[in-house]
mmCIF file with all atom_site columns, all heavy atoms in Angstrom:
data_model
loop_
_atom_site.group_PDB
_atom_site.id
_atom_site.type_symbol
_atom_site.label_atom_id
_atom_site.label_alt_id
_atom_site.label_comp_id
_atom_site.label_asym_id
_atom_site.label_entity_id
_atom_site.label_seq_id
_atom_site.pdbx_PDB_ins_code
_atom_site.Cartn_x
_atom_site.Cartn_y
_atom_site.Cartn_z
_atom_site.occupancy
_atom_site.B_iso_or_equiv
_atom_site.pdbx_formal_charge
_atom_site.auth_seq_id
_atom_site.auth_comp_id
_atom_site.auth_asym_id
_atom_site.auth_atom_id
_atom_site.pdbx_PDB_model_num
ATOM 1  N N   . MET A 1 153 ? -7.869  31.191 3.501  1.00 97.00 ? 153 MET A N   1
ATOM 2  C CA  . MET A 1 153 ? -8.620  30.081 2.925  1.00 97.00 ? 153 MET A CA  1
ATOM 3  C C   . MET A 1 153 ? -9.851  30.598 2.193  1.00 97.00 ? 153 MET A C   1
ATOM 4  O O   . MET A 1 153 ? -10.642 31.359 2.736  1.00 97.00 ? 153 MET A O   1
ATOM 5  C CB  . MET A 1 153 ? -9.045  29.080 3.998  1.00 97.00 ? 153 MET A CB  1
ATOM 6  C CG  . MET A 1 153 ? -9.714  27.836 3.412  1.00 97.00 ? 153 MET A CG  1
ATOM 7  S SD  . MET A 1 153 ? -10.099 26.551 4.624  1.00 97.00 ? 153 MET A SD  1
ATOM 8  C CE  . MET A 1 153 ? -11.453 27.325 5.536  1.00 97.00 ? 153 MET A CE  1
ATOM 9  N N   . THR A 1 154 ? -10.002 30.185 0.955  1.00 97.00 ? 154 THR A N   1
ATOM 10 C CA  . THR A 1 154 ? -11.152 30.516 0.129  1.00 97.00 ? 154 THR A CA  1
ATOM 11 C C   . THR A 1 154 ? -12.018 29.265 -0.032 1.00 97.00 ? 154 THR A C   1
ATOM 12 O O   . THR A 1 154 ? -11.583 28.150 0.296  1.00 97.00 ? 154 THR A O   1
ATOM 13 C CB  . THR A 1 154 ? -10.699 30.990 -1.251 1.00 97.00 ? 154 THR A CB  1
ATOM 14 O OG1 . THR A 1 154 ? -10.035 29.881 -1.918 1.00 97.00 ? 154 THR A OG1 1
ATOM 15 C CG2 . THR A 1 154 ? -9.736  32.178 -1.144 1.00 97.00 ? 154 THR A CG2 1
ATOM 16 N N   . PRO A 1 155 ? -13.234 29.404 -0.564 1.00 97.00 ? 155 PRO A N   1
ATOM 17 C CA  . PRO A 1 155 ? -14.015 28.195 -0.848 1.00 97.00 ? 155 PRO A CA  1
ATOM 18 C C   . PRO A 1 155 ? -13.265 27.220 -1.767 1.00 97.00 ? 155 PRO A C   1
ATOM 19 O O   . PRO A 1 155 ? -13.361 26.009 -1.599 1.00 97.00 ? 155 PRO A O   1
ATOM 20 C CB  . PRO A 1 155 ? -15.279 28.748 -1.513 1.00 97.00 ? 155 PRO A CB  1
ATOM 21 C CG  . PRO A 1 155 ? -15.443 30.120 -0.921 1.00 97.00 ? 155 PRO A CG  1
ATOM 22 C CD  . PRO A 1 155 ? -14.037 30.632 -0.758 1.00 97.00 ? 155 PRO A CD  1
ATOM 23 N N   . ALA A 1 156 ? -12.492 27.759 -2.723 1.00 97.00 ? 156 ALA A N   1
ATOM 24 C CA  . ALA A 1 156 ? -11.745 26.884 -3.639 1.00 97.00 ? 156 ALA A CA  1
ATOM 25 C C   . ALA A 1 156 ? -10.628 26.138 -2.921 1.00 97.00 ? 156 ALA A C   1
ATOM 26 O O   . ALA A 1 156 ? -10.436 24.929 -3.130 1.00 97.00 ? 156 ALA A O   1
ATOM 27 C CB  . ALA A 1 156 ? -11.175 27.708 -4.788 1.00 97.00 ? 156 ALA A CB  1
ATOM 28 N N   . SER A 1 157 ? -9.873  26.831 -2.054 1.00 97.00 ? 157 SER A N   1
ATOM 29 C CA  . SER A 1 157 ? -8.784  26.141 -1.353 1.00 97.00 ? 157 SER A CA  1
ATOM 30 C C   . SER A 1 157 ? -9.336  25.175 -0.305 1.00 97.00 ? 157 SER A C   1
ATOM 31 O O   . SER A 1 157 ? -8.758  24.113 -0.069 1.00 97.00 ? 157 SER A O   1
ATOM 32 C CB  . SER A 1 157 ? -7.813  27.139 -0.725 1.00 97.00 ? 157 SER A CB  1
ATOM 33 O OG  . SER A 1 157 ? -8.454  28.004 0.186  1.00 97.00 ? 157 SER A OG  1
ATOM 34 N N   . LYS A 1 158 ? -10.469 25.525 0.307  1.00 98.00 ? 158 LYS A N   1
ATOM 35 C CA  . LYS A 1 158 ? -11.102 24.609 1.262  1.00 98.00 ? 158 LYS A CA  1
ATOM 36 C C   . LYS A 1 158 ? -11.524 23.318 0.563  1.00 98.00 ? 158 LYS A C   1
ATOM 37 O O   . LYS A 1 158 ? -11.295 22.211 1.074  1.00 98.00 ? 158 LYS A O   1
ATOM 38 C CB  . LYS A 1 158 ? -12.308 25.295 1.904  1.00 98.00 ? 158 LYS A CB  1
ATOM 39 C CG  . LYS A 1 158 ? -13.013 24.467 2.966  1.00 98.00 ? 158 LYS A CG  1
ATOM 40 C CD  . LYS A 1 158 ? -14.126 25.296 3.624  1.00 98.00 ? 158 LYS A CD  1
ATOM 41 C CE  . LYS A 1 158 ? -14.782 24.564 4.768  1.00 98.00 ? 158 LYS A CE  1
ATOM 42 N NZ  . LYS A 1 158 ? -15.781 25.414 5.473  1.00 98.00 ? 158 LYS A NZ  1
#
Side-chain angles (χ1 to χ4, degrees):
M153 186 175 71
T154 65
S157 58
K158 183 175 185 175

